[in-house]
Amino acid sequence: MSDPVETIDETAEAAPSVDVPAQLIADIVEALLARDTAGLLALFEELHPADAADAIEQLTWEQQVLLVELAPELLTGPVLAELVEETRADIAGVLEPRHLAEAIQGLDSDDMTMIVEELDEAKREAVLAELSEADRIQLETSLAFEEDTAGRLMQREFVAAPHFWNVGHTIDHMRKAGEDLPYLFFEIFIVDESFKPIGVVPVSRLMRTKREVPLSELMEPNHVIIRPEIDQEEAAYLFEKYHLISAPVVDEDGRLSGMLTVDDMVDVIQEENTEDLYALAGVNDASLADTVFSSVKSRAPWLLVNLGTAVLASGVIALYDDAIAQLVALAVLMPIVASMGGNAGTQALAVAVRSIASRDLTVSNSMRVIWREFAAGAVNGLIFAVVMGLVAGLWFQNAALAWVIAAAMVINLACAGLAGILVPLGLKRFGADPAVASSVFVTTVTDVVGFFAFLGLGAMVLL
C-alpha cells in the first residue's frame, strides 16, 4: 500500500505564484527586441488583465513604448485599469485617441473616469470626441467633480428598485436589463417615489427569498448615504467603519445618482496609507518608471530641511565645545543619547500618525494618549538609563559620568515620547498633514534636547 503522504506529494500542484514569472518578462523583452508581434500576442494571450498589467510595469519606458507600437491591441480597457497610475498615464499618453476610446467603452464608468482624468487636456478632448454622446456626457459629469472626491470615484451603473416591488419584479427587471447592469454588483438600492435611497437588499438575500415577498420587508436601512463632494478618504473611512460592500451616492436633491464600491475603497485606503508612509520618510510617491532626476527632485527638498535641523543640532554641540575638549567621553557617548531619543520619538510618531489616520485618536482621548506616550518614554528612559549608566561607569571608570548619561537618557526619551504625539497633533490642529513634516520636527526635538541634556549636565557636574 502506498504512503498517502507520497501520493499527495505526487499529485498536488504547486501553489500559484503571486508574482509574474521572471522568465515571462524575459520572453516579453526578447519578443520586443525581435519586434515579434505574434510572439507578444501569444505571451499575453492567457494572462489575466492584472497579470498583464504587472508584466508591463516591469518593462522600461522604452520597452513600453515599443509594446504600444508593436501590439497596441494588448492595451485593452481592463489592462489599462489595472496599471498603476504613473504607468497608465504615460502609456495612455502615447496611445491613439481612437484606440483609447474603443478600449474604455466596455468599462464601468468609474474605471473610464480614472483613465480619462489622467490625460492632458488636448488628449482628453480627442478621446471624448471619439466616444458616444451618452458616454461623453457621463464622463464630463464625473470630471466636473474635484479630484479625490466621491463624485470622481462613483460608478454610475447601479441597480435600483422601488420599495413597492417584490422579489419577482426585481429579478425579472434585472434579467430584462441584461448588459445595462453593472458588470459586478452585490446590492440593490431601494428607492422611494422621488428616487431617493431608503434601503438596500443584498443580492444573496434576494435570491434566497420567494418571488412574492415585497422588497420593503427584505431591505435594510441605509447606514451611509454619500454626497459626491466628500473626500475619498472620508468615504473610505465610512466603508471601513460600517463594513460596507457598496454605498449609494446622491445628488444635491438627495436622489440616487451612483454608487461607490468596496474595490475602489480598497484602492483609496492603500493609496492613503502609501502616501503617509512616503511622507514619514520625506519622499514623494515613486514608481518603477521614475528617473534619477525625478527621484532626486522629490527627495532633495526634504534632505535640505534635514540639513537645516542637523546644523541646529550641531549649534547646540558647539555651545559645549570646551567641555567636549576637556572630557572626550562626552563626545563618545552623546550620539547614543541622541540616537535613543530619535528612535523613541519615531516609535511614538508612527503610532500617533496611524491613530490619527484611522480616527482612533480624537479630542476626547488625546490627553490620555499624550500621558501614555510621555509615561512610556519616561519608563523606557529609566530602563536604558540603568543600562547605559552601568556601561559608561565600567567603560570610563567614572561614576559621575554614569549618573549624567542616565539622567540625560530619562529626559530625552520622555521628551521624545511627548514630541512623537504632540507634533502630529499640533500639525493636525493647524490643518496640515501630520505625516508630512512630523518626522523632521520630532528628530530635531530629540537631537536638541538630547545634546542639551547630556552636554549641559556634563558641563555642570563633571567640569
Side-chain angles (χ1 to χ4, degrees), residues 74-287:
L74 293 176
L75 282 308
T76 62
V79 172
L80 289 172
E82 293 290 347
L83 290 170
V84 296
E85 182 178 341
E86 296 82 3
T87 304
R88 181 172 57 243
D90 290 341
I91 289 180
V94 297
L95 285 170
E96 291 296 326
R98 182 180 295 275
H99 176 89
L100 273 175
E102 292 174 353
I104 67 175
Q105 278 184 334
L107 299 176
D108 287 332
S109 57
D110 55 335
D111 289 331
M112 292 176 67
T113 303
M114 176 181 64
I115 294 172
V116 173
E117 70 179 352
E118 295 164 357
L119 303 174
D120 60 64
E121 187 173 350
K123 190 66 167 284
R124 183 187 301 173
E125 291 300 324
V127 171
L128 290 175
E130 296 286 345
L131 294 172
S132 65
E133 183 179 1
D135 285 339
R136 183 170 63 254
I137 292 173
Q138 191 176 76
L139 273 173
E140 288 174 344
T141 303
S142 296
L143 293 170
F145 292 105
E146 293 290 333
E147 192 175 354
D148 296 335
T149 60
R152 278 287 184 98
L153 278 179
M154 76 173 175
Q155 181 176 329
R156 294 182 176 275
E157 300 86 7
F158 54 86
V159 181
H163 63 92
F164 51 81
W165 275 11
N166 60 27
V167 170
H169 290 141
T170 308
I171 293 175
D172 293 341
H173 167 72
M174 289 191 293
R175 286 175 176 165
K176 186 176 180 179
E179 293 297 324
D180 293 333
L181 295 177
Y183 177 73
L184 193 65
F185 65 98
F186 300 96
E187 294 177 321
I188 298 164
F189 300 112
I190 310 304
V191 295
D192 62 13
E193 291 80 0
S194 302
F195 212 70
K196 296 179 179 180
I198 58 174
V200 64
V201 175
V203 173
S204 57
R205 181 180 300 174
L206 184 85
M207 300 308 296
R208 291 196 302 263
T209 308
K210 294 181 179 180
R211 291 179 60 88
E212 61 272 11
V213 177
L215 294 179
S216 57
E217 294 182 11
L218 285 181
M219 72 177 188
E220 302 172 357
N222 286 313
H223 295 294
V224 174
I225 295 178
I226 293 176
R227 295 281 301 169
E229 64 270 12
I230 74 166
D231 188 89
Q232 63 180 16
E233 190 174 356
E234 296 291 331
Y237 172 69
L238 293 173
F239 268 72
E240 186 178 5
K241 180 177 181 179
Y242 294 105
H243 309 291
L244 302 176
I245 297 176
S246 60
V249 181
V250 298
D251 61 18
E252 58 185 8
D253 296 318
R255 293 190 296 265
L256 183 62
S257 59
M259 70 173 177
L260 293 178
T261 54
V262 68
D263 59 324
D264 290 324
M265 294 301 102
V266 170
D267 291 339
V268 170
I269 293 170
Q270 177 71 18
E271 178 184 328
E272 297 295 337
N273 287 341
T274 302
E275 285 180 1
D276 287 347
L277 178 63
Y278 283 141
L280 280 172
V283 296
N284 293 334
D285 198 359
S287 73

Side-chain angles (χ1 to χ4, degrees), residues 328-345:
V328 177
L330 294 176
V332 174
L333 295 175
M334 68 181 181
I336 298 176
V337 179
S339 175
M340 289 295 292
N343 289 334

